[in-house]
Amino acid sequence: MSEVDERTIGETNIQEIVDIPMGGKKNVILDATVLSTLMNCPRLADFRFNHNFMSIGGKSNSLECGSITHVFTEYYYKSIIERLKREQAFGFGIAAAELYIRGCKGCTEFVASQELPKPSCGHKPNEFPGVHNTPKDSEGSKTGWQWVLDTCDQYHNFYKNDHWEPLEVEVVKGKVLYEDNEVRILWKAKLDLISDTNQAIDHKTMKQNRNTNSMNSQFMGQCRIMDTQQVIINKIGFQTTLKPDEKFKRLPICYSHARLIEWQSETLPFYAKLLLMYAETGHFPPNYSNCEGKYGNCAFYEHVCSHDPDDRENQIKLHFMIGPTWNPQNDDEVI
Ligand SMILES: [Zn+2]
């Protein structure tokens, strides 16, 4: 990929890395998605966040199901904050989830121009893209969207008498978390939900019961942004065999102060400086151990990385398109 890198490295946006006139100190803006992708595979980070390559085939089934649920909870809790009754809030949540499934022409593949800086439908760019890999009914290993909507209904019923008072949904907060004489790191965190307990609450959907790994930059970053030592994972399971109390769980993940400080003062600057080095040399090396993931292979594995270097630019043109520039508000998942 060296040709592509050289041609476009000047326009990179992982380099929201701006020189500031302070003896060459660099500003680095990072969020959990970029940092974890960088940890997983620098070449993937380059494809995804510098070049904005998006798979033409859309997201995988499990990511689409997660996004439908995410849209539901966003509009559901937003409506509750606006003092609507829970039943009404549920209606708005489901309507938004259905629009995500169907797709809205106005915001899908929207390209900003001077005449039209925002989608005319009033949505965020690409907010309701429609599903590509999720059938109505579950088939084989794929979860159907009807089941996802049913799960939202069960979630609403299960938490009917919820004591949580939601305060903010889908809010992006930023804070300078590190500074030395080389770099200043601005961390951006998207918080799915903040309730009156003042904890960050993160919605996670899953098909299997998994333990939640606490070695997680998203959660540690949220703690540092919110000045807390705990994040609550709002688990929403798609298992058909489990009862509601087995698939809807709210799990606190707690951190000692020492662990959070280690992440903030050692891990974060290490990767920020590594990112600067990659950006400066224009070389983002591949990490072979990330090609096969929990939910299938990396989107670039078959179509790009396993081809000869000379052929990769062609392959990218065939299988990927240029998506919107990454920012933590766009989405919370990588391809
Ligand atoms: Zn729209």
Side-chain angles (χ1 to χ4, degrees):
M1 276 320 299
S2 61
E3 275 174 43
V4 175
D5 286 346
E6 278 161 30
R7 198 161 43 76
T8 52
I9 196 72
E11 310 157 4
T12 59
N13 73 62
I14 294 196
Q15 60 138 288
E16 291 193 40
I17 300 163
V18 191
D19 276 305
I20 49 169
M22 286 169 62
K25 192 190 284 197
K26 310 271 185 174
N27 270 329
V28 179
I29 302 174
L30 276 174
D31 66 42
T33 307
V34 173
L35 176 56
S36 64
T37 308
L38 199 63
M39 286 175 163
N40 289 338
C41 177
R43 183 190 277 173
L44 175 61
D46 182 44
F47 285 162
R48 185 69 186 83
F49 306 114
N50 286 333
H51 300 280
N52 302 319
F53 293 144
M54 274 175 71
S55 184
I56 284 171
K59 294 182 189 181
S60 69
N61 171 250
S62 62
L63 289 184
E64 282 186 342
C65 292
S67 296
I68 297 167
T69 315
H70 230 102
V71 165
F72 165 76
T73 50
E74 177 182 351
Y75 280 81
Y76 179 62
Y77 284 113
K78 212 183 253 174
S79 304
I80 292 174
I81 291 172
E82 288 164 3
R83 302 273 161 216
L84 293 179
K85 293 215 169 67
R86 275 188 182 259
E87 280 306 320
Q88 270 180 303
F90 174 71
F92 279 104
I94 287 294
E98 284 172 340
L99 186 55
Y100 188 96
I101 293 163
R102 215 169 48 235
C104 166
K105 276 216 165 75
C107 50
T108 304
E109 289 163 38
F110 166 78
V111 182
S113 64
Q114 279 209 313
E115 302 79 59
L116 201 61
K118 283 180 185 165
S120 53
C121 53
H123 304 134
K124 290 171 254 175
N126 216 26
E127 187 175 3
F128 296 100
V131 294
H132 298 96
N133 295 302
T134 304
K136 178 170 190 264
D137 299 309
S138 303
E139 46 188 60
S141 63
K142 284 189 175 180
T143 302
W145 55 255
Q146 188 59 58
W147 177 248
V148 177
L149 294 177
D150 291 347
T151 305
C152 294
D153 190 9
Q154 293 165 17
Y155 175 89
H156 163 65
N157 281 310
F158 185 71
Y159 287 118
K160 246 193 176 114
N161 302 310
D162 200 355
H163 63 279
W164 275 0
E165 174 92 26
L167 300 178
E168 286 183 280
V169 285
E170 301 287 322
V171 56
V172 176
K173 294 186 190 274
K175 210 179 197 177
V176 173
L177 288 189
Y178 182 87
E179 183 160 9
D180 64 15
N181 50 18
E182 292 172 58
V183 290
R184 175 159 60 196
I185 304 170
L186 175 69
W187 183 258
K188 282 198 171 178
K190 193 179 87 171
L191 304 158
D192 289 347
L193 177 64
I194 301 170
S195 83
D196 54 352
T197 56
N198 211 33
Q199 317 264 18
I201 293 152
D202 202 78
H203 308 304
K204 287 253 180 288
T205 54
M206 51 205 69
K207 247 184 175 170
Q208 284 130 27
N209 270 325
R210 287 179 194 283
N211 291 327
T212 308
N213 180 1
S214 71
M215 297 304 288
N216 180 309
S217 294
Q218 184 194 1
F219 303 152
M220 288 192 260
Q222 286 171 341
C223 284
R224 295 309 292 153
I225 289 263
M226 295 296 288
D227 244 330
T228 55
Q229 291 179 227
Q230 182 172 291
V231 172
I232 297 174
I233 312 305
N234 189 32
K235 283 196 176 192
I236 302 175
F238 294 133
Q239 302 93 334
T240 48
T241 50
L242 297 185
K243 296 193 191 93
D245 65 334
E246 294 167 314
K247 55 184 192 172
F248 302 127
K249 285 190 192 293
R250 289 172 175 173
L251 303 175
I253 298 196
C254 303
Y255 293 98
S256 66
H257 191 63
R259 276 183 77 189
L260 293 175
I261 295 302
E262 177 194 39
W263 175 81
Q264 180 177 359
S265 64
E266 294 176 23
T267 310
L268 184 59
F270 172 82
Y271 282 99
K273 288 174 189 184
L274 198 59
L275 169 60
L276 282 173
M277 189 195 78
Y278 294 148
E280 276 158 18
T281 60
H283 181 64
F284 288 76
N287 175 16
Y288 302 159
S289 59
N290 192 57
C291 302
E292 294 175 303
K294 274 182 283 190
Y295 304 106
N297 290 345
C298 169
F300 294 93
Y301 170 63
E302 184 192 341
H303 293 307
V304 183
C305 295
S306 53
H307 286 256
D308 282 351
D310 288 352
D311 192 28
R312 287 187 198 140
E313 201 169 341
N314 270 334
Q315 292 297 324
I316 285 176
K317 284 187 189 135
L318 285 175
H319 300 284
F320 294 86
M321 56 186 184
I322 309 281
T325 302
W326 172 258
N327 82 54
Q329 261 158 311
N330 291 352
D331 206 331
D332 52 347
E333 306 276 7
V334 182
I335 308 188

